[in-house]
Amino acid sequence: MAGSWASGSRGGKRGRRGLAAEINVTPLVDVMLVLLIVFMITAPLLTTGVEVSLPKASADNLQAPKSQPLSVSLKTNGEIFIQDTQVAPDELVSTLLAIAGEGYEERIYLRADEGVNYGGVMDLMTRMQRAGFRNIALVTDPKANQ
């Protein structure tokens, strides 16, 4: 009898069921949960600013210029100095042009007190650049880098 059952003597139907029209939801749920976790982790990184702690790096000193370099200093209280001479903020550009002349290509060293806010330094640099001074170097304390 076992042989007749295996040969399909039951009319060829052999306990066959109709096609199941159901969707297997388990793989879909697994994929959706993985995507949800990925988006939960990456979304906050994309929408909020990243807190940055800028690195402290020591760089090799530049070669000393042959002549006395031109330096502009900005103090915490807003006083501006060219070399050792105090200059009013609105007279900075005209004084630099009188000292260096137009087309001055040498490096100008900008020294700002660490208490000066970033906006004050950028304002000073912007005024110098608009006047045609493009070679500006920021000076740091070499002892702080060690």
Side-chain angles (χ1 to χ4, degrees):
M1 179 130 180
S4 66
W5 197 89
S7 65
S9 63
R10 299 180 111 194
K13 291 194 177 185
R14 200 176 159 203
R16 194 187 212 189
R17 297 182 194 171
L19 293 174
E22 297 173 6
I23 297 175
N24 191 356
V25 183
T26 305
L28 178 65
V29 170
D30 290 344
V31 170
M32 295 308 285
L33 286 175
V34 168
L35 288 175
L36 178 67
I37 291 170
V38 168
F39 285 124
M40 286 173 54
I41 292 171
T42 59
L45 297 176
L46 298 175
T47 57
T48 61
V50 178
E51 186 176 330
V52 177
S53 175
L54 298 176
K56 293 180 174 92
S58 61
D60 294 336
N61 290 334
L62 298 173
Q63 292 180 355
K66 295 175 184 171
S67 63
Q68 176 69 21
L70 186 59
S71 67
V72 176
S73 301
L74 178 62
K75 295 183 79 175
T76 307
N77 58 6
E79 294 176 343
I80 299 173
F81 291 85
I82 298 177
Q83 302 298 78
D84 295 328
T85 307
Q86 185 173 355
V87 179
D90 56 339
E91 296 175 357
L92 171 71
V93 172
S94 60
T95 307
L96 277 175
L97 288 171
I99 293 172
E102 290 203 32
Y104 185 75
E105 295 296 325
E106 297 295 320
R107 182 173 286 134
I108 297 176
Y109 294 95
L110 177 58
R111 302 172 60 226
D113 191 6
E114 66 182 353
V116 176
N117 68 13
Y118 187 70
V121 175
M122 293 312 304
D123 179 55
L124 187 63
M125 283 184 68
T126 303
R127 285 191 278 157
M128 291 169 60
Q129 285 181 339
R130 286 185 181 157
F133 300 103
R134 304 272 184 233
N135 196 358
I136 302 171
L138 298 174
V139 178
T140 61
D141 185 7
K143 296 175 188 168
N145 293 331
Q146 296 177 357

